Amino acid sequence: MSSLTIAMPKGRIFEEAADLLRQAGYRLPPEFDDSRKLILDVPEENIRFILAKPMDVTTYVEHGVADIGIAGKDVMLEEERDVYEVLDLKISACYLAVAGLPGAKITDVAPKVATKYPSVASSYFREQGEQVEIIKLNGSIELAPLIGLADRIVDIVSTGRTLKENGLVELERICNITSRLIVNPVSYRMKDLQIDELVERLSLVVDGNEEVNL
Ligand code: PRP
């Protein structure tokens, strides 16, 4: 049986994703959690993991160099990718919101909005009938209103700490976000049994965890 390649997001989603795989019975070695290696083979499970930047997971899966990936719904919304979204893993829950400085008066015809999600932000403001100018940044979005680069931001809110510690307030909530299991369409045809088994095992864990959390 050919092995499965799974693209894992490095960073904050990683730990929860690894936990979920372990709960589903996959034996991941301890060095898995604390390694700088970007490719980790787990021969006893016939799985190869590649560790990617969260924003890049969909690229690896779309190009078929990973059969499966774990990607945030934020990334899925931002980029239209030719991948199947097969399971809501219900981990790394957060939401996308519009935020800004409290009481800031916006006089511009097209206020500036800084974000890592230009496409989501444009569609959101278009639907609201608001004209804005989008400024794409790659991180530390909360800086933008503080130093006068933008009037507002569209960004992920998790605990709300980053907004609070930088004196910003949430203005509108756009949508909830969780991590999703995504699959390359060709892999799904070629490795359907292996992939179905993984999806089945993970969905049992997700459903079980949900019951515990109710
Ligand atoms: C994300 C997001 C916010 C922050 C929200 O940034 O863009 O800045 O986390 O989390 P909180 O509500 O729990 O404070 P991340 O740390 O991923 O880094 P980035 O600024 O490089 O995008």
Side-chain angles (χ1 to χ4, degrees), residues 12 116 138-142 155-162:
R12 41 173 96 194
K116 222 168 13 181
N138 292 306
S140 302
I141 313 299
E142 291 81 359
D155 200 17
I156 291 287
V157 180
S158 174
T159 59
R161 250 189 91 185
T162 312

Side-chain angles (χ1 to χ4, degrees), residues 98-99 113 119-132 134 152-154 172 174:
V98 183
V113 175
S119 167
V120 173
S122 306
S123 329
Y124 176 75
F125 287 107
R126 201 175 317 118
E127 277 162 28
Q128 305 293 308
E130 272 187 74
Q131 205 187 333
V132 296
I134 303 286
R152 283 181 275 175
I153 61 167
V154 165
E172 292 147 53
I174 301 179

Side-chain angles (χ1 to χ4, degrees), residues 2 9 21 59 69 79 84 90 96 101 117-118 120 156 159 164 170 178-179 182 191 197 211 214:
S2 55
L21 286 162
T59 306
E79 309 164 349
Y84 296 148
K90 303 195 175 145
L96 271 170
L101 285 165
Y117 305 96
V120 173
I156 291 287
T159 59
K164 195 156 178 256
E170 188 182 316
T178 47
S179 298
I182 59 170
K191 303 181 180 179
E197 191 201 323
E211 265 172 44
L214 281 179

